Amino acid sequence: MTEPVLTFTDRGIYCPAADVFIDPWRPVDRALITHGHADHARDGMGRYLATDAAAPVMRHRLGAIDLQTVAYGERLRIGSADISFHPAGHVPGSAQIRVEVGGEVWVVSGDYKTEDDGLSEPFAPVRCHAFITECTFGLPVFRWDAQTDVARQIDDWWRANAAQGRATILGAYALGKAQRLLSAIDASIGPILTHGAVENTNEVLRAQGLPLPDTVRVTPQTDPKAYPGALVLATPSALGTSWARRFGAASTGFASGWMALRGVRRRRAADRGFVLSDHADWAGLNTAIAETGASRIFATHGYTSIFRRWLESQGYDAAVVETAYEGESIDDDGAGTGE
Amino acid sequence: MRLFTALFTRLDQTTRTNAKVDALAGYFADAPETDRLWTIALLSGRRPKRAVTANLLREWAAERAAIPLWLFEESYPIVGDLAETIALVLPDATRASDHSLTHWITTIRALAPRDEADKRAAILDAWDQLDARERFVFNKLLTGGFRMGVSQKLMTRALSRATGIEEADLAHRLMGDWTPETTSFDALIRAHDPSVDLSRPYPFYLAYQLDEGPSSLDAPPGDWAAERKWDGIRGQLVLRGGAHFLWSRGEELMTDRFPEFARLVDFVPAGTVIDGEILAWRDEFPLSFNALQKRIGRKTVPKALLRDAPVILYAYDLLEWQGADIRDRPFAERRTLLDALVASVPPEAPLRVSPLLAFDTWDRLADIREGSRDFASEGIMLKRKSAPYRAGRKRGDWWKWKVDPLTIDAVMIYAQQGHGRRANLFTDFTFAVRDGDALVPFTKAYSGLTDAEFRKITAWVRRNTLERYGPVRAVKPHHVFEIAFEGIQESPRHKSGVALRFPRMARWRHDKPVAEANTLDDLRRMLAAYG
Ligand SMILES: [Zn+2]
Ligand SMILES: [Zn+2]
């Protein structure tokens, strides 16, 4: 009986052949990181390994860390394991991590979505024997509209607000969702103002060459009246606070996969909820899993028990593993955590 | 159904009262007359009868979505709404149509007598020509639970704006035993003749909660009448033309459920309407709400139950007297008439008057309030002596001043993910009291925390799960919560032997370790004192 390629420990997903952890939640010597969200990239690790494109955000968030980078598809030999990173389509720089030991291939998905958002490196299926997948939205009630349709809904709403002389405040995570929205909407409708946490990430991503429209950082000196008909891109936690009230009788909206549920939309008490997620929907999860060709599936976070049962009914050998990953949060600002 | 779905969507997309009234008033001005009337009916709780069982709808939806039924069943509690779950899992429609709201309601109503195969064909056909939003609305009509985030009060305000008729007057016109089949928009709203409907009740006046205590009121004690707040079913007894009708606050006709009141026709003159509380009653004292509960939900009442849980109407107010609407007269005057009326009725008739409490200072009233539980009462009602009987929940003249809830410190031992608005959080918890080294579960609670607290506990539950039983997670016994509740009863069905009324989380006791939570003995003592 040979040792499994990956094991599940209370510190994170572990590869014995390489003596490395993937997205660990407790300090370890060597960590491979799928992407820069705080539930996957935490501080306190001895050494980090991530993609070139994920590195700037990680440095921005975690400060001076010992970080080695790798290109997508590049093969590294660590111990007796061959390791490579492949696009996950979740946020710019996000990766699935492929680990091969003695001809057996396991892939850790991190967070992923299958739709090309025009900004992140598009998701690429990787053939493997075992696939460790998230399933944040692993229920058949979650079905996403195409990004272009959602962007049009947002444009229409923004335009109508601007015509009524109202500001438009849209809540979205500072890393990933905010930039995706910026690149998908029609920036010619009016000026775009940003919350500081959003603008900080914008600066990091612009510096690495991502095309984002011009934005104006909101500071205590900013006079909202100088920007009539503006779209204000805020963190979720800034909605409903005094920070948002400076824009007067604005219309507020929120973009998240959770907005598919009417109940959650009503709890957020925003005027509009737009269904847009950086995680795969039901169809996306099922397609992604099928395309790996894997027969063994491990579900890490989301509706894991239900999703496992579904996979079993589809003939997979499926299991649930307990992790500290959090799925798509709609209740914090996503600057550090969630998503 | 596009116009109605657009209305629904606009109402759903805003939390602003004015925007809702605007949307409704616009709809009432534009929509076809029968659609208007159906909308009023839906918004005042007059839903079409369920023509298809929920079970069949689930089966057909799962089948159409090509998913196993169990997966549908698992998704439903997470979404929290059957109509929405179905709308979300169905594949896209293959064609489009634009029939009126009335068309679809008529279609649904025509289904009732048809066989299962016909029903299935009709519903699959409807699903296949409606877009996602229209489907949700259609499913809502099918399943009956129609709520649009619009109170009857708001709807009445919008209708008032669209028709120019005064709100309180409209509220009265909209009450009673009508459906869109028995009337028309013109007959109901424009040409108003109350005598057409002998049963028509008046809108109930509802009190606001007094949080600060009565010294915060704008008038001295002498301007107020006080009585106990009774824990029964609020009802309005209408006696007209030799018949009697009993209405609930939810405008449900309860006449047949409480046959005791038929005999009042012999003692109370026609042209009388009384507002009061229906209470289970024995030896001139109210029985527990438990006794009354046996009578709720029964359409007909067996003799044994009539004997075990007899009811009376505990009268609060007189709204109509000698055929005249007297709601504009001051409370003190109405109450004097009510006292005289009840005094003229023999004691074997099931009618009493809720006694007024004598007090001259707020301190004295506070003392009386402390004794509420001894009377199976929830606190004190305060009514301004000079006030008219208003329609709906209005601030200013009627206040409820409830007793503080009972509380117990308990340990959280199980957690379950919420549904609907809190689908992504752990919100449903089971709590235990200590019994030696053991923890005995005694209640569930799922409200009372702020969203921020729910987020915090959710993160903690994820990291401290000991075991999973389907959707339920056993968690490390670590957190202590103060559970507030309104009453406690013996219950052989529960392991702890007690059942609580309205339990909720009052406070997260970060300061208390598990060893300081209350015990099963404490709980039993509370049962002895308040049960
Ligand atoms: Zn994540
Ligand atoms: Zn993420």
Side-chain angles (χ1 to χ4, degrees), chain B residues 3-22:
Chain B
L3 210 53
F4 183 72
T5 303
L7 168 69
F8 183 90
T9 307
R10 278 188 69 188
L11 293 173
D12 214 35
Q13 278 175 353
T14 182
T15 48
R16 276 187 262 262
T17 306
N18 282 340
K20 289 188 180 193
V21 175
D22 284 350

Side-chain angles (χ1 to χ4, degrees), chain A residues 35 37 39-40 90 111 279 301 325-327 338-339:
Chain A
H35 66 290
H37 280 143
D39 53 325
H40 297 263
H90 174 55
D111 293 338
H279 295 261
H301 57 302
Y325 312 137
E326 285 169 11
E339 267 293 77

Side-chain angles (χ1 to χ4, degrees), chain A residues 267 331, chain B residues 421-422 425 449-456:
Chain A
R267 175 164 65 85
D331 294 306
Chain B
R421 59 195 286 271
R422 295 200 164 117
L425 299 172
L449 298 187
T450 63
D451 280 354
E453 286 173 317
F454 276 127
R455 289 195 300 268
K456 235 174 126 180

Side-chain angles (χ1 to χ4, degrees), chain A residues 139-141 143 250 258 260-264 266-267 271-272 282 303-306 309-310 322 330-331, chain B residues 8 12-13 16 68 70-71 74-75 78 84 88-91 136 147 420-424 451 455 468:
Chain A
L139 292 180
V141 295
R143 292 194 303 162
W258 290 108
L261 300 185
R262 180 167 174 251
V264 180
R266 292 163 74 85
R267 175 164 65 85
D271 296 313
R272 295 293 301 271
W282 174 254
Y303 291 102
T304 47
S305 348
I306 301 171
R309 187 172 164 199
W310 160 254
E322 296 295 337
I330 59 158
D331 294 306
Chain B
F8 183 90
D12 214 35
Q13 278 175 353
R16 276 187 262 262
W70 70 261
L71 183 54
E74 291 280 3
S75 303
I78 291 161
E84 187 184 353
L88 289 171
V89 299
L90 290 175
F136 172 61
R147 288 173 63 181
R421 59 195 286 271
R422 295 200 164 117
N424 60 325
D451 280 354
R455 289 195 300 268
R468 293 170 180 239

Side-chain angles (χ1 to χ4, degrees), chain B residues 5-65:
Chain B
T5 303
L7 168 69
F8 183 90
T9 307
R10 278 188 69 188
L11 293 173
D12 214 35
Q13 278 175 353
T14 182
T15 48
R16 276 187 262 262
T17 306
N18 282 340
K20 289 188 180 193
V21 175
D22 284 350
L24 271 166
Y27 177 84
F28 284 134
D30 295 343
E33 199 147 294
T34 55
D35 278 13
R36 243 183 279 172
L37 192 58
W38 266 115
T39 303
I40 295 168
L42 292 171
L43 288 173
S44 58
R46 291 170 178 80
R47 308 181 283 259
K49 277 209 189 68
R50 220 174 236 252
V52 185
T53 65
N55 275 344
L56 285 175
L57 289 175
R58 293 175 203 209
E59 274 174 35
W60 299 338
E63 186 189 318
R64 190 79 185 76

Side-chain angles (χ1 to χ4, degrees), chain B residues 152-202:
Chain B
Q152 185 151 352
K153 184 168 150 184
L154 219 66
M155 185 261 287
T156 312
R157 191 185 307 169
L159 196 56
S160 166
R161 197 193 298 166
T163 58
I165 303 168
E166 219 204 306
E167 259 180 73
D169 192 6
L170 266 178
H172 189 201
R173 289 176 200 208
L174 294 179
M175 298 198 81
D177 204 6
W178 62 271
T179 75
E181 267 102 11
T182 59
T183 187
S184 68
F185 188 79
D186 254 344
L188 184 74
I189 305 294
R190 297 208 186 95
H192 175 58
D193 180 4
S195 68
V196 170
D197 180 4
L198 285 179
S199 75
R200 190 186 305 249
Y202 295 99

